[in-house]
C-alpha cells in the first residue's frame, strides 16, 4: 500500500458571519480527492486568536462531517480515532463558524492520507 | 477521548498486575501468551518467538477467526486459477500447533479484551487470561459503498464475492464452475483485482475489470506504465474499464449486472470486489486501545501506552504507515519476538521501504517508491515498448533512486531494489540502471547484491541467509529453499534464489535429485528402483527400506507408493505388510470426512440385478446406512459405515469389492449399448463387463477409471476417461487414453482403432501395464500420456516398436491371475484391530443427576 500524506494548513484572518453560519475560510483550504483514490482524515489541529469561541467545520461535498470547536485564545489537537474512507471524486473543505462581526486569526492544520 | 480518560487508570492497574506473575514465578511457571489472529502475521510472530526459546517462557494460546490452520494468503490467487490446490498453501499444519504445545482455538472470534483484568473474551463464551497479548487481526476486503450490494436481509448478495480468505476463494471457484455462469465483473484494477481476474479467466468465463482510477494499478505505477499493463492484460482477453466507478450491483435475489457512473451497465452473473483492504480493528476499538487508521504501535510493536499488548501485521499503524504487504510483516515479527522473549530488548522496527515484486496476471511487475517525478529537479528515466509489454521507469532525486516501475522484464529488479533500499549513489550512465549495457551481467548482478538484500520478499529471506545455507553444505536449489523457505511464498523469486545459490556454490550446485525420486524416502528414480528391487530380490516394503533407503530408515510417506509398486511388479511373490498401506487399503473402504467409511460393492459395467438391488437394500436397512448414493462410476455407494461394522456389512452383502477406495483400477462405465439403444453400434455393456472382470483390483500409480460407449454419442463419457473405448461404424472400436474430467479436464488421445473386442482388451491391458511400470507415483494418465507422448505410446503399445508387448502382456496376466477379493478377508483379519474403531470404545457412565 503506497500512501501519500496531505495537509490543509496555514494561518488565516477571519470575519465571523454568525456561530450558526459556517463560511469558507480560504480557497486554499479545499481539496479534491482524485478518482480511484481513498482519502482518510487523521487529525486536526487548530488555534484561535480571538476572544470568543469559534468552530472549524470539516465539510465533505458541502455537508458537515466533523466540528472542531476552539475556545477563546486557545488551541485544540484532535486525533480522529474513528477514521472514515472518503471516496475519489469528493471535495474536502474547511469552513469556520464565528459570532457575527468577530474578527481574528485562525490556525489550521488538517492531516490526511491518500492511497 | 477514551484514551485520555482511561489512561490514568491504566498505570496504577499495571503494577499490581505484574505481581501475580512474580508470585507464581518458580522456574517451571510459564507466562501466558495469547495471540489473537492465526493468519500469516500471528503465526509468524509465534514462530519467531519459539525460535527465541519462547516455548520455555510461555504457554501459548492462539485464536483464529477462520476454522483452519495457518495458510499462505499470497497463494490464494494460484488456488483460484487452479495452479495449486488449497491443501498446498497451508503453512503450519494442525500438528505443528500440537508439537509446539500451542492451544489453537480455530473458528473462534475474539470479541473483547479487558486490558485491566487481562482477559480476552471470545464468542464461544470463553474468558482467557493473558500475561502478554499479541493482536494480529490483519485486514479484510473493503466493500466500497454502492447500491444493491446487500440483500434486504443484510447479507451480501449471492454472486458477490470479496477476495481475502480461503473460503472466499473456494466459493468463487465453485460459483465460476457452474455452467450457466459466464461473465464476471471484477471491481478494482489493482494487484488483487488483476489476480482475481486472471484466476477467474482460467475457468473459462468472460472477465471484465472495472477500475475507478485512471489506469490499472494506480497505487503502484504511473499512467504510462498502467497503459502498457492494460495492453498486456487485454491481450489475455480480459476487458478493462478505467475511470469507471461502480455505483450499483444489479439484480434482485442474485447478481445480474453492475451499473457504472456515466457508462452503460455491464451484464454479469458474478461480481468480485477487490477494491483494497481495511485493517480489522474492531476488537481494539471496542477494548479502548488507540486506533487511528489501524492500531497505533511504537517501534517495539507495543500498542501505544500499553505494557503487555503488542500488535503486528496489517492491523498495525506504525509511524503513521499502514502496510498491506508481507515483507514489513516479517520484519515486525522479528522485532516483536525479540522484545516479547527478551532476546534483544534494543531491537527496533523503524518502518519498511516497500517494494512490490510480483507476477500479476502473468505479467512481471515490480514497483517501489514514487511512480513519477514530483519536484522540478527530479530526473525521470523512462523506457517503453508497449508491443512487447515492457515498461521501465526510474525516478532519481539528488543522484539517488526514489522510485522505480518495471513491467514485463524484471531482470534488474534485485539491483534496483537494493539501490532504493539503501539510497546508493547511482552510476553516471543512467541507462545502465535499466539494461545490462556494458554493465556487469546477471551473475555479477547477484555478486554485487548486499548480504542483507532481500531475495524472497514473501518469507523475508536475505541473500546472506541463502549463502549461509550453501556454506553449511547444502548445494541444491531445492535444499536451500527448504532450509530457508525462500521461494515458498508467491514463487516469483525462484529464479533469483537459483542464481544466488548457484553463485554461492560457485559452480558446485547440484541438480536437485529428489525431484526425480519415485518415492521421497529412497533416492532412486522409478526404473533404477525397479531394477534394484529385481536384482536384490526384494519382496516387501520393509525389505526395500532396509536394502535401499539411506541408513535403512523407514519413511512413512514412501510406504504406500512402494507397496503399490511391489504388488504390481511381483504379483503373488509380494509379501504384504499391512502397515505399508494407507487406511483405505488397510480396510478396503473409502474413509470419509467424519471418519466413517463408504462401501461400494462391485457392479460390473453398471449392470445390476433384482437380487443384488434387494440385497443392497436389505443391508442398508439392517445397518441404518445414513446415505445411499449412485456414484458417477455407475455403482451404489453406502455411506457412513463405522469401521468396526465393515466386515459384517461385507458379509451381509456377500458381493465382491467395487474398488472405490484404492490407487487401482476402479470401474468401467458403460452405456446401454446395442441391445436396447436405437443408435448403438457395438455391445458396450458386454465389453465393459469383460474389461472390469479382467482387470478388477489391479494396482496402479493412481486410480484408473474406464468407460465403454456403444456409439460416438458417448453416453458413457469415454473421451474423458483414463482409458475410454468407443464403438464406431463397421464393428470397430476406438481406444482413447489419458482423458480426465475431474480437477483437470482433458480429452483423451486416440491410441488405436481396432476391429474386435479382444483387441480392445489386449491393448487396454498393455497400456495399463506400461503406465503401471513407467508412471510416477500418483501421476494420473492425463499427466502421464502428454508427458510420454501419444506417438510414443502408439509406437510401443500398438506397433510394438520396442519389443515390449510380450512382457507387458505377461506381467498384466500375472497380476490378473493373482486377484483375490479383499473383502473376503472379513472372516480372517490380517492384523489385530484391523477393524477396531479408532474412537474410544467404552461409553463413560453418566454422571448421576443430583
Amino acid at each position: 500500500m503506497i500512501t501519500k500524506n496531505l495537509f490543509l494548513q496555514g494561518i488565516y484572518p477571519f470575519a465571523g458571519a454568525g456561530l450558526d453560519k459556517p463560511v469558507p475560510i480560504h480557497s486554499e483550504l479545499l481539496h479534491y480527492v482524485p478518482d480511484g483514490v481513498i482519502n482518510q482524515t487523521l487529525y486536526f489541529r487548530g488555534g484561535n486568536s480571538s476572544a470568543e469561541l469559534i468552530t472549524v467545520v470539516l465539510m465533505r461535498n458541502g455537508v458537515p462531517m466533523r466540528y472542531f470547536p476552539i475556545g477563546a485564545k486557545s488551541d485544540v489537537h484532535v486525533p480522529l480515532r474513528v477514521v472514515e474512507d472518503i471516496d475519489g471524486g469528493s471535495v474536502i473543505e474547511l469552513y469556520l463558524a464565528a459570532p457575527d462581526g468577530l474578527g481574528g486569526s485562525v490556525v489550521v492544520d488538517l492531516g490526511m492520507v491518500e492511497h | 477521548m477514551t484514551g485520555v480518560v482511561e489512561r490514568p487508570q491504566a498505570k496504577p492497574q499495571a503494577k499490581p498486575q505484574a505481581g501475580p506473575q512474580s508470585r507464581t514465578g518458580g522456574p517451571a511457571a510459564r507466562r501466558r501468551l495469547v495471540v489473537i489472529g492465526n493468519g500469516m502475521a500471528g503465526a509468524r510472530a509465534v514462530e519467531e518467538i519459539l525460535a527465541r526459546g519462547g516455548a520455555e517462557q510461555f504457554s501459548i494460546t492462539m485464536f483464529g477467526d477462520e476454522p483452519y490452520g495457518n495458510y499462505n494468503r499470497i497463494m490464494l490467487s494460484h488456488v483460484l486459477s487452479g495452479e495449486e490446490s488449497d491443501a498446498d498453501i497451508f503453512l503450519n499444519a494442525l500438528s505443528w500447533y500440537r508439537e509446539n504445545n500451542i492451544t489453537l482455538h480455530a473458528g473462534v472470534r475474539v470479541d473483547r479484551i479487558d486490558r485491566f483484568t487481562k482477559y480476552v473474551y471470545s464468542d464461544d463464551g470463553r474468558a482467557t487470561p493473558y500475561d502478554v497479548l499479541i493482536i494480529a487481526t490483519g485486514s479484510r476486503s473493503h466493500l466500497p459503498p454502492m447500491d444493491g450490494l446487500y440483500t434486504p436481509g443484510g447479507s451480501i448478495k449471492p454472486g458477490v464475492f470479496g477476495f481475502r480468505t480461503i473460503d472466499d476463494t473456494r466459493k468463487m471457484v465453485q460459483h465460476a464452475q457452474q455452467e450457466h455462469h459466464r461473465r464476471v465483473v471484477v471491481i478494482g484494477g489493482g494487484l488483487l483485482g488483476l489476480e482475481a481476474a486472471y484466476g477467474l479467466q482460467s475457468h473459462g468465463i468472460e472477465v471484465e475489470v472495472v477500475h475507478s482510477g485512471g489506469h490499472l494499478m494506480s497505487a503502484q505505477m504511473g499512467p504510462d506504465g498502467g497503459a502498457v499493463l492494460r495492453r498486456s492484460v487485454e491481450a489475455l482477453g480480459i476487458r478493462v474499464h478505467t475511470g469507471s466507478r461502480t455505483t450499483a450491483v444489479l439484480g434482485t435475489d442474485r447478481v445480474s449486472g453492475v451499473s457504472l457512473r456515466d457508462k452503460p451497465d455491464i451484464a454479469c452473473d458474478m461480481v468480485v470486489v477487490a477494491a483494497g483492504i481495511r485493517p480489522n480493528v474492531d476488537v481494539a476499538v471496542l477494548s479502548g486501545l488507540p486506533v487511528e487508521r489501524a492500531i497505533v504501535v511504537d517501534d517495539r510493536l507495543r500498542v501505544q501506552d500499553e505494557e503487555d499488548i503488542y500488535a503486528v501485521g496489517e492491523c498495525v499503524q506504525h509511524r503513521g504507515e499502514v502496510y498491506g504487504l508481507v515483507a514489513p510483516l516479517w520484519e515486525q515479527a522479528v522485532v516483536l519476538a525479540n522484545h516479547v522473549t527478551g532476546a534483544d530488548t534494543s531491537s527496533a522496527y523503524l518502518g519498511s521501504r516497500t517494494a512490490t515484486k510480483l507476477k500479476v496476471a502473468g505479467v512481471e511487475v515490480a514497483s517501489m517508491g514514487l511512480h513519477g517525478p514530483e519536484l522540478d529537479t527530479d530526473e525521470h528515466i523512462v523506457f517503453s515498448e508497449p508491443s512487447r509489454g515492457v515498461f521501465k521507469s526510474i525516478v532519481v532525486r539528488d543522484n539517488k533512486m526514489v522510485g522505480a516501475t518495471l513491467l514485463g522484464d524484471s531482470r534488474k529488479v534485485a539491483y534496483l531494489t537494493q539501490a532504493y533500499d539503501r539510497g546508493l549513489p547511482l552510476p553516471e550512465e543512467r541507462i545502465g540502471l535499466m539494461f545490462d549495457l556494458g554493465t556487469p551481467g546477471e551473475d555479477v548482478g547477484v555478486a554485487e547484491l548486499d548480504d542483507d538484500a532481500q531475495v524472497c520478499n514473501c518469507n523475508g529471506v536475505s541473500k546472506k541467509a541463502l549463502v549461509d545455507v550453501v556454506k553449511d553444505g547444502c548445494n541444491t536449489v531445492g535444499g536451500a529453499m527448504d532450509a530457508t523457505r525462500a521461494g515458498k511464498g508467491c514463487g516469483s523469486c525462484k529464479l533469483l534464489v537459483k542464481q544466488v545459490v548457484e553463485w554461492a556454490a560457485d559452480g558446485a550446485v547440484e541438480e536437485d535429485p529428489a525431484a526425480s525420486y519415485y518415492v521421497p524416502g529412497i533416492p532412486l528414480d522409478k526404473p533404477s528402483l525397479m531394477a534394484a528391487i529385481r536384482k536384490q530380490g526384494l519382496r516387501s516394503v520393509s525389505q526395500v527400506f532396509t536394502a535401499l533407503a539411506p541408513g535403512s530408515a523407514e519413511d512413512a510417506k514412501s510406504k504406500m507408493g512402494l507397496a503399490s509398486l511391489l504388488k504390481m511388479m511381483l504379483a503373488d511373490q509380494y509379501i504384504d505388510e499391512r502397515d505399508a498401506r494407507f487406511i483405505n487399503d488397510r480396510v478396503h473402504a473409502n474413509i470419509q470426512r467424519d471418519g466413517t467409511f463408504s462401501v461400494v460393492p462391485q457392479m460390473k459395467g453398471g449392470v445390476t440385478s433384482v437380487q443384488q438391488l434387494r440385497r443392497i437394500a436389505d443391508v442398508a436397512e439392517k445397518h441404518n446406512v445414513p446415505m445411499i448414493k449412485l456414484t458417477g462410476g455407475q455403482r451404489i455407494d453406502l455411506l457412513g459405515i463405522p469401521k468396526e461394522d465393515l466386515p459384517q456389512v461385507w458379509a451381509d452383502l456377500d458381493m465382491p469389492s467395487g474398488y472405490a477406495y484404492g490407487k487401482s483400477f476402479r470401474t468401467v462405465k458403460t452405456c446401454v449399448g446395442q441391445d436396447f439403444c436405437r443408435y448403438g453400434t457395438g455391445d458396450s455393456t458386454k465389453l465393459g463387463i469383460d474389461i472390469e472382470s479382467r482387470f478388477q483390483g489391479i494396482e496402479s500409480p493412481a486410480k484408473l477409471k474406464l468407460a465403454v460407449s456403444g456409439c460416438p454419442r458417448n453416453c458413457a463419457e469415454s473421451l474423458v476417461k483414463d482409458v475410454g473405448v468407443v464403438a464406431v461404424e463397421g464393428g470397430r472400436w476406438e481406444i482413447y487414453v489419458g482423458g480426465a474430467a475431474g480437477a483437470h479436464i482433458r480429452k483423451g488421445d486416440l491410441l488405436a482403432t481396432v476391429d474386435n473386442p479382444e483387441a480392445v482388451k489386449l491393448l487396454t491391458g498393455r497400456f495399463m501395464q506400461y503406465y503401471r511400470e513407467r508412471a510416477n507415483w500418483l501421476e494420473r494418465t492425463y499427466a502421464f500420456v502428454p508427458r510420454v507422448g501419444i506417438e510414443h505410446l502408439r509406437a510401443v503399445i500398438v506397433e510394438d516398436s520396442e519389443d515390449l508387448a510380450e512382457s507387458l502382456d505377461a506381467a498384466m496376466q500375472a497380476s490378473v491371475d493373482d486377484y483375490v477379493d479383499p473383502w473376503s478377508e472379513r472372516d480372517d483379519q490380517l492384523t489385530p484391530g484391523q477393524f477396531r474403531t479408532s474412537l474410544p470404545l467404552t461409553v463413560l457412565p453418566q454422571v448421576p443427576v443430583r
Side-chain angles (χ1 to χ4, degrees):
Chain A
M1 213 187 290
I2 293 171
T3 56
K4 198 162 138 190
N5 299 321
L6 292 165
F7 305 93
L8 295 184
Q9 54 190 196
I11 304 173
Y12 301 92
F14 67 85
L19 246 186
D20 52 357
K21 198 175 169 208
V23 291
I25 304 171
H26 192 276
S27 60
E28 279 175 7
L29 297 179
L30 180 145
H31 173 66
Y32 177 80
V33 183
D35 259 331
V37 163
I38 301 283
N39 179 299
Q40 297 178 326
T41 53
L42 291 186
Y43 72 85
F44 172 80
R45 259 166 237 175
N48 170 20
S49 74
S50 75
E52 297 270 357
L53 173 81
I54 63 166
T55 300
V56 174
V57 189
L58 174 62
M59 310 285 281
R60 169 172 52 183
N61 295 330
V63 179
M65 183 179 164
R66 299 287 166 86
Y67 292 87
F68 305 108
I70 313 175
K73 297 198 182 298
S74 185
D75 62 271
V76 291
H77 172 206
V78 186
L80 298 176
R81 286 286 162 82
V82 180
V83 176
E84 296 151 62
D85 288 333
I86 301 172
D87 283 320
S90 310
V91 176
I92 298 168
E93 201 173 1
L94 287 175
Y95 276 38
L96 181 106
D100 197 9
L102 180 75
S105 292
V106 62
V107 185
V108 292
D109 182 1
L110 178 76
M112 304 176 282
V113 286
E114 270 180 4
H115 56 90
Chain B
M1 284 249 291
T2 42
V4 178
V5 176
E6 287 170 3
R7 216 169 288 154
Q9 292 175 358
K11 279 187 182 148
Q13 288 270 346
K15 285 248 154 89
Q17 290 286 335
Q21 293 163 28
S22 43
R23 276 205 301 277
T24 53
R30 290 180 301 160
R31 292 192 291 154
R32 294 162 299 202
L33 174 69
V34 171
V35 184
I36 305 175
N38 183 32
M40 298 181 75
R44 182 60 168 245
V46 170
E47 279 179 33
E48 295 286 352
I49 287 168
L50 291 173
R52 285 162 181 74
E56 284 82 56
Q57 292 185 34
F58 296 104
S59 62
I60 304 175
T61 306
M62 297 183 77
F63 287 89
D65 198 4
E66 295 179 63
Y68 309 109
N70 158 248
Y71 60 86
N72 188 344
R73 218 174 283 281
I74 306 167
M75 299 300 276
L76 286 178
S77 55
H78 295 241
V79 175
L80 183 62
S81 65
E83 290 164 47
E84 307 261 346
S85 84
D86 48 16
D88 294 338
I89 65 165
F90 279 89
L91 294 170
N92 296 98
L94 292 175
S95 60
W96 176 82
Y97 296 88
R98 268 197 306 279
E99 282 156 21
N100 289 293
N101 287 322
I102 297 168
T103 314
L104 172 68
H105 300 297
V108 177
R109 177 190 287 269
V110 169
D111 291 329
R112 191 166 64 86
I113 304 158
D114 187 329
R115 57 207 173 97
F116 305 112
T117 59
K118 296 196 171 185
Y119 272 91
V120 164
Y121 296 92
S122 43
D123 64 0
D124 57 348
R126 195 187 297 267
T128 312
Y130 67 85
D131 295 308
V132 177
L133 179 68
I134 297 175
I135 304 174
T137 44
S139 35
R140 60 173 188 276
S141 306
H142 170 56
L143 300 178
M146 58 182 89
D147 295 334
L149 203 52
Y150 301 93
T151 59
S155 57
I156 290 186
K157 190 177 280 179
V160 180
F161 299 89
F163 186 21
R164 179 71 193 163
T165 64
I166 206 161
D167 282 339
D168 291 341
T169 314
R170 283 177 182 160
K171 284 184 204 150
M172 272 158 70
V173 170
Q174 217 179 6
H175 195 86
Q177 283 176 344
Q178 288 179 24
E179 192 133 315
H180 55 278
H181 292 152
R182 310 233 116 271
R183 274 180 102 178
V184 55
V185 168
V186 176
I187 299 174
L191 270 174
L192 198 63
L194 292 179
E195 286 291 347
Y198 184 60
L200 286 167
Q201 203 206 16
S202 65
H203 293 283
I205 50 181
E206 217 175 297
V207 184
E208 306 199 27
V209 173
V210 175
H211 186 51
S212 63
H215 57 272
L216 291 178
M217 282 181 76
S218 41
Q220 282 85 12
M221 60 182 72
D224 302 336
V228 174
L229 180 62
R230 178 183 185 139
R231 243 182 110 124
S232 304
V233 169
E234 286 180 333
L236 297 168
I238 297 171
R239 286 181 55 195
V240 177
H241 309 265
T242 51
S244 305
R245 274 277 297 286
T246 318
T247 53
V249 175
L250 304 173
T252 45
D253 52 345
R254 57 185 184 81
V255 173
S256 67
V258 295
S259 61
L260 307 180
R261 192 178 61 188
D262 311 333
K263 290 194 184 164
D265 296 353
I266 305 175
C268 63
D269 25 47
M270 180 176 181
V271 171
V272 176
V273 185
I277 51 173
R278 290 294 171 271
N280 275 325
V281 293
D282 299 351
V283 172
V285 169
L286 267 175
S287 312
L289 296 172
V291 176
E292 289 178 3
R293 275 201 293 158
I295 305 168
V296 182
V297 297
D298 62 14
D299 288 356
R300 303 176 186 185
L301 280 310
R302 234 172 29 174
V303 175
Q304 187 183 305
D305 299 324
E306 293 294 330
E307 279 292 318
D308 304 307
I309 305 180
Y310 293 79
V312 62
E314 292 178 349
C315 63
V316 155
Q317 175 181 327
H318 172 264
R319 297 194 178 186
E321 293 282 340
V322 179
Y323 298 98
L325 295 167
V326 282
L329 188 160
W330 304 146
E331 296 169 31
Q332 291 173 356
V334 168
V335 175
L336 180 144
N338 278 334
H339 283 284
V340 167
T341 58
D344 175 8
T345 47
S346 65
S347 134
Y349 174 68
L350 305 174
S352 301
R353 304 195 79 178
T354 51
T356 328
K357 185 177 68 182
L358 274 176
K359 211 167 183 167
V360 182
V363 183
E364 300 231 28
V365 175
S367 149
M368 57 201 91
L370 303 181
H371 33 76
E374 287 187 346
L375 306 179
D376 292 344
T377 49
D378 286 350
E379 291 176 60
H380 193 202
I381 306 143
V382 181
F383 171 82
S384 178
E385 199 183 347
S387 59
R388 271 208 310 140
V390 174
F391 177 84
K392 304 180 183 196
S393 124
I394 294 170
V395 185
V396 179
R397 181 178 296 171
D398 301 333
N399 206 28
K400 284 181 186 139
M401 205 184 95
V402 290
T405 306
L406 299 177
L407 261 183
D409 174 8
S410 52
R411 276 175 299 174
K412 290 296 263 184
V413 166
Y415 175 71
L416 289 177
T417 312
Q418 188 186 334
Y420 172 73
D421 275 347
R422 349 214 107 223
L424 298 179
L426 300 176
E428 282 300 307
E429 196 77 59
R430 302 285 200 235
I431 198 162
L433 286 169
M434 289 189 181
F435 304 99
D436 296 323
L437 290 177
T439 54
E442 256 175 48
D443 291 348
V444 192
V446 171
E448 77 197 9
L449 276 186
D450 267 7
D451 274 352
D452 46 0
Q454 202 151 88
V455 175
C456 169
N457 286 331
C458 296
N459 285 311
V461 181
S462 66
K463 173 182 164 193
K464 182 164 185 298
L466 275 171
V467 171
D468 287 349
V469 171
V470 175
K471 282 199 186 124
D472 290 345
C474 173
N475 48 4
T476 64
V477 176
M481 281 168 58
D482 283 341
T484 58
R485 295 169 62 162
K488 301 257 177 182
C490 69
S492 67
C493 62
K494 275 184 187 156
L495 179 67
L496 186 59
V497 172
K498 184 162 170 274
Q499 288 170 358
V500 171
V501 172
E502 281 168 356
W503 170 80
D506 205 11
V509 68
E510 287 169 10
E511 269 297 300
D512 202 355
S516 62
Y517 296 169
Y518 183 63
V519 288
I522 294 175
L524 292 171
D525 60 15
K526 188 167 185 178
S528 325
L529 177 61
M530 287 170 65
I533 290 170
R534 285 212 182 88
K535 187 164 164 231
Q536 303 190 26
L538 306 175
R539 288 174 52 198
S540 72
V541 173
S542 59
Q543 285 176 7
V544 173
F545 280 124
T546 313
L548 302 174
S552 299
E554 291 206 354
D555 173 43
K557 282 188 200 153
S558 309
K559 284 184 175 177
M560 202 179 150
L562 284 176
S564 163
L565 182 73
L566 288 171
K567 186 92 202 301
M568 183 272 287
M569 288 173 64
L570 305 172
D572 62 331
Q573 299 291 299
Y574 171 60
I575 303 171
D576 192 4
E577 289 166 330
R578 289 288 151 149
D579 73 321
R581 295 180 171 197
F582 177 59
I583 174 69
N584 279 5
D585 294 315
R586 288 206 296 276
V587 301
H588 320 299
N590 203 352
I591 193 162
Q592 305 295 321
R593 77 192 279 171
D594 63 351
T596 64
F597 291 82
S598 75
V599 165
V600 180
Q602 194 173 59
M603 200 171 273
K604 288 176 186 171
V607 176
T608 183
S609 65
V610 172
Q611 290 76 18
Q612 217 177 21
L613 284 175
R614 187 170 290 136
R615 188 174 294 158
I616 292 173
D618 287 344
V619 170
E621 191 170 50
K622 176 177 171 193
H623 291 271
N624 285 323
V625 172
M627 185 173 192
I628 307 166
K629 176 90 183 72
L630 300 185
T631 73
Q634 297 183 336
R635 296 176 296 193
I636 293 178
D637 196 351
L638 303 175
L639 291 145
I641 313 271
K643 191 177 175 188
E644 61 275 20
D645 290 353
L646 286 172
Q648 191 55 51
V649 171
W650 296 335
D652 292 344
L653 280 172
D654 197 23
M655 287 179 214
S657 166
Y659 293 94
Y661 46 84
K663 302 298 172 205
S664 68
F665 172 92
R666 292 196 168 187
T667 176
V668 182
K669 188 171 183 172
T670 65
C671 65
V672 171
Q674 226 170 6
D675 292 346
F676 289 90
C677 178
R678 287 174 295 139
Y679 305 104
T681 57
D683 192 349
S684 58
T685 312
K686 178 173 185 305
L687 181 54
I689 293 172
D690 286 354
I691 293 176
E692 187 157 344
S693 307
R694 177 167 170 76
F695 300 116
Q696 56 191 347
I698 294 287
E699 274 83 9
S700 61
K703 62 185 169 190
L704 283 167
K705 292 178 165 181
L706 278 64
V708 182
S709 294
C711 78
R713 285 174 185 75
N714 257 315
C715 294
E717 294 152 1
S718 301
L719 297 184
V720 289
K721 295 292 178 190
D722 292 294
V723 180
V725 182
V726 183
V728 291
E729 206 48 56
R732 293 181 311 148
W733 301 83
E734 289 178 342
I735 306 173
Y736 291 87
V737 294
H744 294 256
I745 310 277
R746 183 176 191 272
K747 178 179 174 293
D749 297 322
L750 182 65
L751 179 72
T753 307
V754 296
D755 301 337
N756 57 71
E758 285 313 307
V760 172
K761 280 184 259 180
L762 182 75
L763 290 186
T764 300
R766 203 180 287 167
F767 166 76
M768 280 165 54
Q769 184 64 21
Y770 189 78
Y771 163 71
R772 296 168 81 201
E773 291 184 12
R774 301 297 198 285
N776 297 324
W777 177 235
L778 301 184
E779 182 181 33
R780 288 288 301 267
T781 60
Y782 62 72
F784 173 75
V785 170
R787 174 166 72 84
V788 179
I790 188 65
E791 290 79 15
H792 178 76
L793 285 173
R794 269 189 215 125
V796 173
I797 289 163
V798 185
E799 293 145 27
D800 195 15
S801 61
E802 292 180 8
D803 208 12
L804 284 173
E806 203 174 319
S807 66
L808 291 173
D809 294 346
M812 181 51 92
Q813 189 59 45
S815 291
V816 168
D817 293 343
D818 188 44
Y819 170 73
V820 182
D821 177 28
W823 284 4
S824 62
E825 76 184 33
R826 58 189 171 244
D827 305 323
D828 188 17
Q829 298 188 10
L830 287 179
T831 49
Q834 184 183 357
F835 296 109
R836 191 165 60 211
T837 170
S838 47
L839 301 168
L841 279 170
T842 46
V843 179
L844 294 171
Q846 258 187 329
V847 181
V849 182
R850 283 169 203 267

